[in-house]
Amino acid sequence: MSESEILSLLEISKDVAKEIITLLNNNQEEKLKKYHYIPDLPREMKSDADRFMDKELIKRLSPLGISILSEEGGEINSKSKSSFRFIIDPLDGTVNYVRGLSQSSISIALYDDKKPVFGVLAIYPSEEIVWGGKNFGAFLDEEPINVSDTEEISNAILCTGFSSQFDVSDKKTLSKYFDLIENFGKIRMLGSASISLFNVARGAADCYYEQEIMIWDVAAGIAILEGAGGEVSVSPGRFDNSLNVVASNGTIKCNLIEGQ
């Protein structure tokens, strides 16, 4: 795919993200906040908004002819021979949205095989658009954002969380998890992987770490963080499409994956 074609897809993705986040803000019926938990994954909340937003995103992206990996819909246009694909999350931070806790996002990422090309986040409820990639830089609307210059891990803020796939009943794994994060100055759980990565990209936090997080939760955020000057390390999780992710401002060396 040529550079001009990628730039065109980036602009289309930004326009789609703006349209969809406005659509969500303009459709605040209580029915969208109806939710249920998945029987096989009892800590995973799904709302009517997830399905509504997924349908609207796919309707706008599928005519481009590029394969799509969606949290709600799985693989779409999978017969495409191109190595490029969109990875989308119609609503990252469903609990935040349903309960009015904090920010959530609509996430659109373009990947070339396993390599992030660009990511776009539409932040709910502010409707801010965050976008970027390693070859583009990173931006909040049109203002550049950059990672922090924090060097000491004891002064650093770590964003983390327990994904729905993470086994909190495994005391050995849980103990190791806390051993790994105890050296940080502060810990924050924001309820959204994409929002966490955005905060590292804009320098409000310094690192992000999460086990068994799904690729659609982090795909756009990883691309944006790389554009902001950060570093990301990824290893496969135990489940289909799950990852273990360590991200930092690039000056703090978070050897968390190696310690698992």
Side-chain angles (χ1 to χ4, degrees):
M1 189 178 294
S2 69
E3 182 178 346
S4 62
E5 289 174 316
I6 291 173
L7 285 170
S8 176
L9 289 174
L10 173 57
E11 292 305 313
I12 290 170
S13 298
K14 288 162 63 178
D15 289 342
V16 167
K18 291 174 185 176
E19 187 176 344
I20 296 297
I21 195 65
T22 301
L23 183 65
L24 179 61
N25 266 329
N26 290 343
N27 285 271
Q28 286 299 304
E29 301 99 337
E30 282 303 309
K31 67 179 182 180
L32 287 183
K33 296 190 177 183
K34 290 182 179 178
Y35 65 89
H36 65 279
Y37 288 93
I38 298 175
D40 294 338
L41 203 59
R43 293 191 295 117
E44 178 72 6
M45 178 190 284
K46 292 293 182 184
S47 71
D48 285 1
D50 289 288
R51 292 188 292 272
F52 172 72
M53 304 300 285
D54 187 65
K55 180 180 177 182
E56 295 297 328
L57 273 173
I58 291 171
K59 181 170 69 175
R60 290 162 174 80
L61 293 175
S62 59
L64 298 172
I66 298 172
S67 65
I68 301 171
L69 175 62
S70 164
E71 177 179 8
E72 303 302 317
E75 294 279 357
I76 300 163
N77 292 339
S78 58
K79 294 182 180 180
S80 171
K81 295 180 181 179
S82 173
S83 61
F84 288 85
R85 69 171 175 171
F86 285 114
I87 303 177
I88 64 173
D89 189 343
L91 189 60
D92 180 39
T94 298
V95 175
N96 287 355
Y97 169 76
V98 168
R99 300 296 296 269
L101 280 171
S102 185
Q103 293 176 314
S104 47
S105 82
I106 294 160
S107 302
I108 303 171
L110 182 71
Y111 270 50
D112 182 3
D113 193 18
K114 296 181 180 180
K115 180 182 176 182
V117 179
F118 66 70
V120 178
L121 299 177
I123 308 297
Y124 175 85
S126 68
E127 299 193 16
E128 294 169 306
I129 302 298
V130 185
W131 58 279
K134 185 172 286 187
N135 294 328
F136 301 99
F139 301 84
L140 173 57
D141 291 324
E142 299 303 320
E143 291 295 319
I145 57 174
N146 296 282
V147 295
S148 71
D149 58 4
T150 304
E151 295 181 356
E152 297 296 329
I153 197 169
S154 60
N155 296 330
I157 296 174
L158 172 71
C159 289
T160 187
F162 296 114
S163 72
S164 299
Q165 303 276 8
F166 186 84
D167 185 4
V168 294
S169 67
D170 185 335
K171 303 304 180 185
K172 183 177 179 179
T173 300
L174 200 59
S175 177
K176 185 182 292 187
Y177 182 92
F178 283 109
D179 288 343
L180 291 170
I181 68 175
E182 67 180 357
N183 293 320
F184 287 89
K186 293 290 183 181
I187 310 296
R188 292 293 181 266
M189 293 188 179
L190 305 181
S192 165
S194 61
I195 297 296
S196 295
L197 285 161
F198 160 51
N199 276 289
V200 179
R202 72 184 183 96
D206 308 296
C207 297
Y208 164 77
Y209 172 56
E210 195 155 358
Q211 297 182 43
E212 304 299 347
I213 191 68
M214 304 307 290
I215 187 170
W216 40 76
D217 295 318
V218 295
I222 286 173
I224 292 166
L225 179 56
E226 288 183 343
E231 293 182 354
V232 183
S233 296
V234 174
S235 69
R238 295 182 296 118
F239 307 95
D240 288 344
N241 294 314
S242 73
L243 302 171
N244 302 314
V245 180
V246 175
S248 78
N249 61 4
T251 58
I252 295 173
K253 301 304 178 184
C254 310
N255 296 318
L256 299 180
I257 284 181
E258 295 174 11
Q260 288 182 43

